[in-house]
Structure formats: structure tokens, C-alpha cells
Amino acid sequence: MDRHDAVLARYDRQMRRGAVADGPGARVEHVGGVVRQTAGHGGWNGVLWSDLDTATADAAVAEQVRHFTSLGREFEWKLYGHDMPADLGDRLLAAGFVREPAETLMVAPAAGLRDLEVELPAGVELREVTDADGVELAVRGYGRAFGTDGSWLREHLLTQLSSERRTVVAVVATADGEPVGSSRLELAPGRDFAGLWSGGTVPEWRGRGLYRASLAFRARLAAERGHRFLQVDALPTSRPILERLGFTALSTTTPFLYRPRTPGRVR
């Protein structure tokens, strides 16, 4: 087994098959060849891993639909390029899921990224969110960067701040006190991988190094907390940047979404 295969096998074992709940009120369940997370309002609901074949796939898919729709939850089936059976994506579509654009699962050593020392523009500060005021800045930065409502993020981060075991760290970039970027680092206790999520910069500040600076900031936080690898689901626009910084592609991941009448949240 080469290093690529070994790291992918470790990722599957720790972050998918051995997943831990990503926040208070969420639970991870192993049911009929599927590992899923069920969360409350504002949390992420979905299938993280499956061990299926052509004889068991359709029944397993139907069971997940029954489970989450009975709770009124929107949920995501994270399908990886190496998952079986090979036609699982087609089976999900036939069951009523909607396929989102594919992303690339990429990893890098948390302490070994290249060319990340970036001098921030004058007046810009990066900091970890540690209080309710910081949460509001991060939510505003997220909303401006992605052009979407960040209400779910407010609830998610406030819940994390009040938890004894924080699994999410938010980072906010401010310019003269105003938010110009927002990002998250997800930390699974006892796991080698830390996840990079929702790194965004407001339009007028793009192209000035904030994305790389945020990545470097989160890499240091991950290394300080004992995580060996950074992991990111990269869009096609981000993959070349991440490759130049030392990230390696392990697989692809495609979100398949199922939306009942009462929506929840996807990552």
C-alpha cells in the first residue's frame, strides 16, 4: 500500500467509519452498513460512510430517507469516488436525491504547508472567535463573503462556545474592526485530521492574501491541538491553489441532497 492509499484508508477509518459527532446534540449511528449523523435544528444531518453492494444499496438508501424525513430533516449523502457499489450515485438520483457539484478531497500535513507566510494588508487582523461578539463578526463576514444568510452559523458557533468539548473553531478577519472574511476549523477529538470549511473573503478584499493567511492561521491551530493533517473538500477553483501550497488529492466527494418539506443544513 503506497502513502496515498494509506492516508485515504486512515481518513476513511477515522473520519467516516469511526466518525464522532460534530457538536452538542448530534449523534453518530452505525445502522445496516451505514454511518450517519443525526443532529437537531441548525446541525448537519447526513451519511458519512457506507459499506454497501448491489444487493444491499437500495434498501439502505430507502432506510436513510425514511429516517431523516420522519424527523423533517434535510440531509446529505457524502458519496466518495471510491465508494461502492460503483452505481451508488445513480441509485441515489433514482431515490430522489439531487446531485451537487463534485469536490476533491485533499489533505496536507498541518505543520508542513509551503509558502503560507503572508503579510496581511494594513489594518487587517485575523483572530480566533472566543465570545459572542466574535460570533457576530464571523456571521457577518460569512454572509458578506458568500452572499447568503448566516443565521445557522450563529446558532452553531454559540452552541460550540457553551460546550465543554469544542469541535469547531471559527476564525474572523477584520479590517479596522469590520469583518472582511470568515472561516472554520473542525476538530474531531482523537483524530489525525482537522477539517477546513467555509473559507470566504468579501468581494472587495479578494486577491490580497486573506485566504492563504486564514489557511495558515488554521493550520497552526490544528497543529497546536495535535492534528497531523488538514483536510478540505475543494471546489475546482480552489484545487490549483491548494496543490501549490502542498495539498494532495485523495479522492472525490459529491454531495447528494435530499430535501423534505422542513429543511435543515448542509455543510
Side-chain angles (χ1 to χ4, degrees), residues 209-249:
L210 267 64
Y211 176 76
R212 289 171 56 193
S214 167
L215 204 158
F217 189 91
R218 288 177 287 166
R220 286 193 292 271
L221 292 178
E224 289 168 0
R225 287 160 169 80
H227 297 275
R228 293 182 58 190
F229 298 101
L230 298 171
Q231 169 263 319
V232 61
D233 293 345
L235 292 168
T237 52
S238 300
R239 177 171 176 170
I241 300 171
L242 293 167
E243 286 178 333
R244 289 194 294 271
L245 297 174
F247 280 78
T248 300

Side-chain angles (χ1 to χ4, degrees), residues 22-27 37-45 68 71-74 152 155-156 159 263-265:
D22 68 1
R27 67 181 186 275
Q37 175 170 293
T38 305
H41 178 68
W44 183 82
N45 290 272
F68 286 107
L71 301 172
R73 300 281 192 271
E74 175 176 327
W152 69 267
E155 181 175 349
H156 188 52
T159 300
R265 176 176 71 85

Side-chain angles (χ1 to χ4, degrees), residues 101-154:
E103 300 167 331
T104 303
L105 170 64
M106 306 188 76
V107 299
L113 292 181
R114 300 190 295 266
D115 302 325
L116 275 181
E117 293 305 318
V118 179
E119 183 176 350
L120 289 169
V124 175
E125 179 186 9
L126 273 172
R127 64 183 177 92
E128 179 181 347
V129 170
T130 58
D131 56 24
D133 290 340
V135 167
E136 290 304 315
L137 288 173
V139 170
R140 286 168 54 200
Y142 175 91
R144 292 181 62 198
F146 293 100
T148 188
D149 177 40
S151 299
W152 69 267
L153 182 61
R154 177 183 295 105

Side-chain angles (χ1 to χ4, degrees), residues 84-101:
M84 299 299 289
D87 65 349
L88 184 53
D90 292 335
R91 294 170 185 265
L92 292 169
L93 291 174
F97 287 76
V98 176
R99 178 167 47 206
E100 295 285 288

